Structures are given as structure tokens and as C-alpha cells.
Amino acid sequence: MTTIYSASVPLPYQHRQGAALGLRAELRHLVELGYLLGRQAPDELPDWDTLVVTGPDQSTDARGRVWFEYTATVRASRADDRPA
């Protein structure tokens, strides 16, 4: 079984590499949380080769501040479910 995890972060500046590092950490926490809540098998691990970071999507808030939103997804599966 494969699970897809997703996270996003708005930043007040453009910095794709910094966003990717932060999103990877957040996705790692989501995978761990899934295990702790019993929503995944204990041997399900993220396949970081499937990590996709998109963005930035630019938006302006009510105060006129510009935000850059990045989104990341990663697939997680059990080791024995992965192609060799």
C-alpha cells in the first residue's frame, strides 16, 4: 500500500531550497504521526526519490504583504511494496 503525504508553507520571501528543507522535515513528521496514530504500518517509510516541491504561488494578504507558498508531496510505502 502506498500513502501520499502533502505539506505546504507560506514564506514572506522566495527561497525554494529553504522551503524544500522545511517541507521535507514536516513530511517526515507527518509520516511519524501517521504511525503513532495507527494510520500506517510501522515499516512504511517515505521514498524521498518521489519528493516533489511546487511553487511558489504568490499571493497578497489584506495588509498588502506578499507571500510565496510552496507545496511538497512524497509517497510512502512498505519496503517490500517498492519496486526493486
Side-chain angles (χ1 to χ4, degrees):
M1 182 173 118
T2 299
T3 306
I4 298 174
Y5 291 89
S6 180
S8 62
V9 62
L11 299 174
Y13 50 84
Q14 290 188 54
H15 196 284
R16 187 175 183 86
Q17 184 177 7
L21 291 172
L23 288 166
R24 183 180 169 124
E26 180 64 21
L27 290 167
R28 190 170 38 252
H29 292 298
L30 289 174
V31 171
E32 291 171 5
L33 182 62
Y35 167 66
L36 293 173
L37 296 175
R39 295 183 182 158
Q40 72 176 47
D43 56 349
E44 185 176 83
L45 298 172
D47 179 1
W48 295 113
D49 290 337
T50 67
L51 178 67
V52 175
V53 177
T54 59
D57 292 327
Q58 185 174 327
S59 63
T60 305
D61 67 14
R63 294 185 174 175
R65 294 178 293 200
V66 176
W67 292 91
F68 303 92
E69 185 166 3
Y70 296 86
T71 302
T73 59
V74 69
R75 293 179 182 272
S77 59
R78 294 176 19 174
D80 56 351
D81 291 342
R82 292 186 184 175

